[in-house]
Amino acid sequence: MKLQLLALFVAATAFSETASAAHYYNADHKIESKLCSISANEGFTAARKVAAQHGVYLSRYSKSILCNGDDIRDIAKKVDDEVRQEKVIEVFAKNSHVETQLCMTALKQGLAPVKEKIANLNSLKCNGEVVTEFVKRYQGATI
């Protein structure tokens, strides 16, 4: 009985992983189909970038392309919501060094208080990158 339950659990887990990792593809070589698959897999912003390269304008505010009868924005919204839910980043100070505390201050309060303490912001490295890039990347993360 335990072996059957274990097999059922493994099968259910494998199926749920497969179901959540759906990947869309385009059935033909039309740019509209390509944009639909990009929108479904990577989000609307990625689809807009590819569209611009091909001279196609995708509006965020009005219908432009239908993908299997659904608006391209609605398909992308599902992907964007999933990505937003997946990206939860927690930032914490690993030690109490002055540089570490300055990096945390930059995230919490911005770069102005840090600039008052050190003249050259480019000299401060946070996790191996310049503090300005660090703040751009992790601003809004859970601290």
Side-chain angles (χ1 to χ4, degrees), residues 23-27 31-43 47 67 72 75:
H23 183 77
Y24 297 88
Y25 61 94
N26 48 321
I31 186 63
E32 292 85 359
S33 298
K34 183 177 182 179
L35 294 175
C36 288
S37 64
I38 290 171
S39 180
N41 293 321
E42 301 172 37
C67 304
I72 192 169
I75 292 172

Side-chain angles (χ1 to χ4, degrees), residues 9 13 26-27 34 37 43 49 56-58 66 74 76-77 80 86 91 95 100-101 114 120 123 125 127 138 140 143:
F9 174 74
T13 304
N26 48 321
K34 183 177 182 179
S37 64
K49 287 179 184 176
V56 177
Y57 176 73
L58 292 179
L66 293 179
D74 295 335
K77 186 173 184 334
D80 291 339
E86 289 175 10
V91 179
N95 56 44
T100 304
Q101 296 308 316
V114 176
N120 185 7
S123 66
K125 302 278 186 186
N127 285 353
Y138 297 110
I143 299 175

Side-chain angles (χ1 to χ4, degrees), residues 1 5 7 10 29 31 46 57 61 65 88-89 104 113 130 134 143:
M1 180 70 174
L5 287 174
V10 170
H29 297 292
I31 186 63
Y57 176 73
Y61 306 107
I65 293 178
V88 176
I89 299 172
M104 295 304 289
V130 179
F134 179 77
I143 299 175

Side-chain angles (χ1 to χ4, degrees), residues 7 24 27 32 47-48 50 56 66 82 91 103 123 131 135-136 141:
Y24 297 88
E32 292 85 359
R48 284 188 75 184
V50 173
V56 177
L66 293 179
E82 288 173 10
V91 179
C103 291
S123 66
V131 68
V135 170
K136 283 180 191 174

Side-chain angles (χ1 to χ4, degrees), residues 57-128:
Y57 176 73
L58 292 179
S59 173
R60 289 193 183 276
Y61 306 107
S62 63
K63 285 186 179 182
S64 52
I65 293 178
L66 293 179
C67 304
N68 293 336
D70 294 328
D71 186 39
I72 192 169
R73 297 169 300 159
D74 295 335
I75 292 172
K77 186 173 184 334
K78 293 174 189 173
V79 174
D80 291 339
D81 289 345
E82 288 173 10
V83 168
R84 221 174 274 122
Q85 289 173 358
E86 289 175 10
K87 289 187 178 180
V88 176
I89 299 172
E90 184 177 345
V91 179
F92 59 93
K94 192 171 183 178
N95 56 44
S96 59
H97 293 131
V98 174
E99 293 84 3
T100 304
Q101 296 308 316
L102 287 172
C103 291
M104 295 304 289
T105 301
L107 280 178
K108 291 177 185 176
Q109 302 172 11
L111 294 171
V114 176
K115 195 167 186 168
E116 291 174 5
K117 298 196 185 226
I118 59 172
N120 185 7
L121 285 177
N122 291 329
S123 66
L124 178 62
K125 302 278 186 186
C126 303
N127 285 353

